[in-house]
Each structure stands twice: as C-alpha cells, then as structure tokens.
Amino acid sequence: MSLPPSKWLPSVLLIVFAASPAVVRRWFPPLPLFLAAIVSGVLLALAFPPVSMGLLSLVALVPLVVTLYRAPYPRRDFFRAGYLFGVSFFLADLWWIVRLVPASSITLPWLMTPALIALVAYLAVYPALFFLLLRLIGGDDRRVIWLLGPAIWALLEWIRSSGDLGFPWAAIGYALVRYPVLIQWASVVGITGIGALVILVNVIVSLALLERSAGAKTVWLAVGIGLLALTGLHGKREIERYANTIPEDTSRVAIVQPNVDLALKWKPEFTDSTFRLIERFSRQAAMLAPDLIVFPETAAPVYLRHNLPYRQRIEALAEEIGVGVFIGFLDGRYDGPRRSLNVYNSSGLFYPDGAFAPYDKMHLLPFGEAIPFAWKFRKLQPIDFGQANFHPGPEVKPIRSGAGHLGPLICFEAIFPGLSRRFVKHGADVIVNITNDGWFGDTPGPYQHNDMAIFRAVENRRFLVRSANTGISMVVDPVGRVTNALGLFEEGVLVVSVYRVTTKTFYTRHGDLPVVVGLVLAILAGGIVSWYRRRVPWPGSIA
C-alpha cells in the first residue's frame, strides 16, 4: 500500500532543503563538529530508555567537547554544534511522541510530526546556549570549563524545567536513575545538582583527553575517578543507613494496575464493566489486608462526584471492604468566572466511613490537557487540537489515610520536583503517583516517565507508590530502589509495605534555591577566572 503524499512529501522537502549547499554552509558546523555533535547526541540518547545505558551519560558529551577545544572554533560554531547535538539527542529520545496519535483524541493528528519537530527545535536551543555561553564566558581557555560547564548546563536545565511551560523531560541527571549509589546526593541538591555532577564528569574526562602530557592526563583522570568514588561511597552509606533502619508505623498499600484498553475505556457502554473491574480488584486487594488501595488516573471514567449511582458504588465499596480507596476520575464544578464550568483531572480518597478527600491536578500538560494559560485567559479556550481543556486545581494539604498522609501527584506532575517537595514539606508520609500512560503505547515513553518519578523518592526520602493503568506500577523506597513492580500491559495488584520516615531532607526543606545560587556563583567565579587568565595567559590555552 502506497502512502499518500501528505505523509511523505513534507519530510522529503525538508531533507532536500536541509541538504542544499547554501543551507549547509549557513546553518551547519564544520564537518568534524558535525560528526562529533551527532555522536554525542546519540550517545546521550542511549543513556535513556529504551537502551538505558545510563553510565554513557558520564562521557556522552566528550566527543563534542574535545573536538571543540582541539581547534580555535568561533562562537557561531560552538552554538551550531551545540544545536545539532541537541537536535540529535532530543529527536532520538522523543521520537515516540508521534506514536501518540493512534490512541489519542487529537483532532488534527497530522500535527503530531510538526509538533515533534517544533519541540525538538525548541529544546535544542538549551544545549546550543550551553556551548555558546561556555565560549563567551570562558573564552579560549579550556581549563576553566570544569567550573563553568556544570554550572551553565544545570542552570539552563533548571530554567527549561520551570514554570507552566516547563518541560524537564530528559534532564541529564535522570540517566543515572538505575544506579542508586550515584544519585543519593539528590536528597541535598535535587535532580539539578545530579545533572551538574554528570556534566562535571564529562568535562573532566574531556580535559584529560585534551592534555598533552601523561602527567596532566593522569591527574584529571584521577580527579574524575575520585569524584565518582566519593559519590558512590556516599550513596552506599546512605543506602545501608536506610537498609538498617528499624521500620516504625509500617503500613500496607495495594497498588492496582487494571490494564484497561483505552479504545474501550471511554465508551459509555463499557462504563459498567469498568466499575465491576474496580470492585473486583478492590475485593481482591482487601483479602491481603491493606491500609489503602490506589487506582490509576481516571480509573473511574465518569464525572464521579456528580454521577450519583457510580459514586455510591465506590462509597459502598470502601465501606464494605473497610479500606480507603484512592482513585482518579474527572470532575466538573461551576467555580469559574460568573459560575462558568471548570473541568478538572481529579482524584480523591473515599473513606470507609463515607468521607471524601479530593485532589485536582495542579500542573497540567501543555497542549495535551489545556492550552497554556487558557485558565487565565479564557478567550484561548475555544482553540481545539483535541486537548482536554482542564482547569488547574487549588493547592491542598496532604491527604490523611490509613497509610499515613499522602502527597498525591497525577501523571505529568511526578516529573516536577517542586510539587512532591511541597507535599512532603507539609507533612506527607508517602508520595502517591497515579497515571495513565496507555497513550504512549509500547514506546520508550512509559519507561522514561517512570524513571523520572523515582527521583522524587530520593529527593524527599519518602516511599513512592505509583499506579498506572497499563504500567509501569511500582513502589520505590526512600533511596530510589524499585522493590516491586508490574510491567507494561500487565494486569494485577501489588500489596507492598511502606513505613513512615519523619526526617526532612535538605532538599525538602530548601528546594532548588541553594543550588541555583551556587550555580550562579560558580558562573561568576568562572567568568572572573577566565577574565584574569586572558590578561595573564596560562599554559594550556589554545588562544
């Protein structure tokens, strides 16, 4: 079967345009940098799912950094090489976004490919700025980049991850999530600080390769090995400390993964069978005596608080089994301007005594769950790409449950450290992440999403329980170890033990502010050192 021109013609035109000599000369770096940028981008992508060779992140940038500093390239080539690196990495890491179309309700599915191109084009600006700033502030002197490199990269990633349009996906520190001994400093410096550590190792290895004398190479390599060794020793000590902790206030949580087909879930004729599935899983879990049962995002595919028959079924279920049921659903309330309707991606805990504690998703997925800022400027709401047009919920305190106070996160919220940190700071004992990653299908998306959630447990030293409709559901201990999980497209119930941790980490108490201040000071210090060395040249400069 031949594809229609609308499927292949835009790509052909783009390739022809990009391959023209004028475009190559104007927009692409010289051949050595071109090759090095692509190699570095691909190496970094291999550090993330589905390949997950996380340790590659510690050397992924080395080919490009070494090539840039072996010859006196101008600033524009630093920028162009950094941009090409960013395009190579983000395209290899996020290609699966175009696979959302078959399962989604997007009204203009052909926009997914241009949307991926636009997203990659935007994200690639950050590594381009990284290399440009490295050149602008550090000049030709490569020896100052050990101070500037980690600070500039981490600060740019922090900026990329902030605000309503923040997109922290594929932050470099997440590549180390499968190596718990290397990420324990996250309880102090968060994911931003772990990203700085990864870049520091890259820079140290690059400097070792750039040095001409064997002695200097040995010194830099010794510094890099020592840095990793100290990081690993600290991580090992932290893991052993928690392994030797005598649990107090232990609770049991049942995590349900119903694996409901999205093609059927939202059809009204299947609603009753979905609720029968909820009841069956709840009774099955109740036989194992949990203190809490957790269902995924929108597990109840109705406006549950207003659909009285189905709400009464959940209330009766919680009363029957004597266990609180935390479940995701849709909600609508006339609480907008002039009592207009707001729709929420919601959740809540149904108590056995009939009480109810709600939580509405606060941080919405841009263009997926709402047009950005449409909740502030309602004239934007008529724009329709098939997005949900949800309204962000209000801030709430942790939810009291039989398993302690809960810090709920819905789907995308788990990749934003500030949300889980705020809940733990205000008393949450367990972080609960409910999600529906069925939209991603069998792509790297669910694995990447899952890995980012793990960091929230380490940053705050809290257990994290995650319930996903089609997977991956899991429990993560306070040092980032996945102690039990259900894979993609499995159906089942996990009953896991969690215990209360009362201490609050440095990161929980202070957040990113100390790290950001430290990064800014490091950049200022690097700039001053670079300025001084330009006036008094040191050996090793390539000027």
Side-chain angles (χ1 to χ4, degrees):
M1 180 185 295
S2 60
L3 292 174
S6 61
K7 294 289 187 181
W8 56 264
L9 187 58
S11 299
V12 171
L13 293 175
L14 183 62
I15 292 171
V16 170
F17 172 75
S20 65
V23 171
V24 170
R25 286 194 300 270
R26 181 175 180 84
W27 297 106
F28 289 92
L31 185 59
L33 290 180
F34 183 93
L35 295 175
I38 291 178
V39 169
S40 284
V42 171
L43 285 175
L44 187 54
L46 292 175
F48 290 86
V51 179
S52 300
M53 297 175 62
L55 294 180
L56 277 180
S57 65
L58 299 173
V59 295
L61 274 67
V62 171
L64 182 53
V65 173
V66 169
T67 306
L68 280 168
Y69 282 91
R70 280 217 186 273
Y73 288 105
R75 296 170 182 173
R76 67 177 179 275
D77 285 341
F78 272 68
F79 181 87
R80 292 190 295 187
Y83 194 83
L84 182 59
F85 159 77
V87 168
S88 302
F89 166 56
F90 287 112
L91 189 60
D93 195 62
L94 298 173
W95 63 266
W96 51 267
I97 286 176
V98 298
R99 293 279 299 276
L100 296 178
V101 174
S104 69
S105 59
I106 295 171
T107 55
L108 300 173
W110 60 268
L111 278 178
M112 291 306 297
T113 298
L116 173 63
I117 294 171
L119 178 62
V120 169
Y122 161 69
L123 294 174
V125 170
Y126 288 92
L129 287 175
F130 164 72
F131 284 104
L132 177 62
L133 291 172
L134 206 58
R135 179 66 171 79
L136 285 173
I137 300 173
D140 294 324
D141 188 359
R142 64 176 180 250
R143 289 187 175 175
V144 78
I145 65 174
W146 72 268
L147 183 59
L148 288 173
I152 295 172
W153 181 285
L155 189 60
L156 286 171
E157 276 199 336
W158 178 79
I159 293 170
R160 171 164 76 88
S161 304
S162 302
D164 289 333
L165 291 175
F167 190 74
W169 209 284
I172 199 168
Y174 286 122
L176 296 181
V177 71
R178 297 169 192 268
Y179 306 92
V181 293
L182 296 180
I183 64 172
Q184 296 308 311
W185 281 113
S187 65
V188 178
V189 296
I191 184 61
T192 302
I194 299 299
L197 171 66
V198 173
I199 296 299
L200 179 57
V201 175
N202 274 274
V203 170
I204 289 172
V205 175
S206 300
L207 290 172
L209 294 176
L210 286 165
E211 292 290 354
R212 296 178 180 177
S213 70
K217 289 179 182 291
T218 302
V219 169
W220 280 117
L221 287 175
V223 170
I225 293 171
L227 177 64
L228 286 176
L230 289 174
T231 301
L233 287 172
H234 168 75
K236 183 174 181 293
R237 186 184 64 180
E238 286 292 291
I239 291 171
E240 289 176 348
R241 183 162 68 90
Y242 276 86
N244 295 328
T245 300
I246 300 175
E248 296 181 3
D249 298 327
T250 299
S251 303
R252 289 167 62 80
V253 179
I255 305 169
V256 179
Q257 182 168 302
N259 194 33
V260 175
D261 188 343
L262 295 187
L264 305 176
K265 176 177 177 178
W266 296 101
K267 293 184 177 181
E269 59 267 33
F270 289 96
T271 300
D272 203 57
S273 63
T274 299
F275 273 82
R276 287 198 300 271
L277 191 68
I278 292 170
E279 291 165 338
R280 175 169 66 84
F281 275 124
S282 296
R283 293 185 179 110
Q284 177 185 335
M287 295 175 65
L288 299 172
D291 300 291
L292 173 70
I293 300 174
V294 180
F295 279 88
E297 175 188 20
T298 61
V302 295
Y303 289 86
L304 190 57
R305 291 213 288 177
H306 303 285
N307 192 315
L308 190 60
Y310 285 119
R311 172 170 179 156
Q312 289 176 338
R313 285 177 68 168
I314 300 296
E315 291 172 338
L317 177 66
E319 181 181 6
E320 172 197 332
I321 62 178
V323 182
V325 177
F326 187 86
I327 190 168
F329 52 87
L330 299 179
D331 196 14
R333 301 194 293 274
Y334 290 96
D335 54 5
R338 300 179 182 177
R339 296 189 60 78
S340 58
L341 177 66
N342 285 327
V343 178
Y344 298 89
N345 185 352
S346 193
S347 64
L349 178 59
F350 289 84
Y351 294 91
D353 63 2
F356 173 73
Y359 171 72
D360 304 315
K361 188 175 184 181
M362 295 187 291
H363 196 122
L364 302 175
L365 174 65
F367 303 104
E369 293 181 308
I371 295 295
F373 309 111
W375 51 89
K376 297 178 182 177
F377 306 101
R378 300 183 79 87
K379 290 183 178 180
L380 296 174
Q381 290 185 354
I383 299 174
D384 182 18
F385 295 118
Q387 76 282 349
N389 281 331
F390 289 134
H391 193 84
E395 290 190 4
V396 298
K397 294 181 179 180
I399 296 174
R400 175 185 56 82
S401 80
H405 287 82
L406 310 179
L409 304 170
I410 298 179
C411 190
F412 186 62
E413 291 183 315
I415 73 175
F416 293 95
L419 296 175
S420 54
R421 171 185 164 264
R422 187 185 68 81
F423 276 119
V424 175
K425 187 176 181 180
H426 287 87
D429 301 308
V430 180
I431 301 170
V432 176
N433 176 210
I434 62 172
T435 186
N436 178 15
D437 287 353
W439 306 110
F440 297 152
D442 187 14
T443 71
Y447 298 97
Q448 294 173 3
H449 194 196
N450 183 75
D451 282 359
M452 289 184 279
I454 293 172
F455 257 82
R456 308 293 83 85
V458 184
E459 289 164 345
N460 299 286
R461 296 292 186 225
R462 292 295 186 271
F463 277 90
L464 179 142
V465 297
R466 187 175 196 261
S467 174
N469 174 32
T470 56
I472 303 164
S473 299
M474 63 178 177
V475 59
V476 185
D477 73 7
V479 291
R481 296 174 299 184
V482 178
T483 59
N484 210 339
L486 287 170
L488 277 186
F489 307 115
E490 295 180 15
E491 177 186 295
V493 178
L494 292 176
V495 178
V496 299
S497 294
V498 301
Y499 59 84
R500 187 181 180 193
V501 179
T502 57
T503 57
K504 291 183 173 64
T505 66
F506 182 88
Y507 183 78
T508 299
R509 296 195 306 272
H510 303 290
D512 289 316
L513 181 60
V515 176
V516 171
V517 171
L519 297 175
V520 172
L521 292 177
I523 294 171
L524 291 174
I528 292 170
V529 170
S530 176
W531 173 82
Y532 180 78
R533 287 187 174 182
R534 290 174 197 173
R535 299 189 60 182
V536 185
W538 283 44
S541 172
I542 62 173

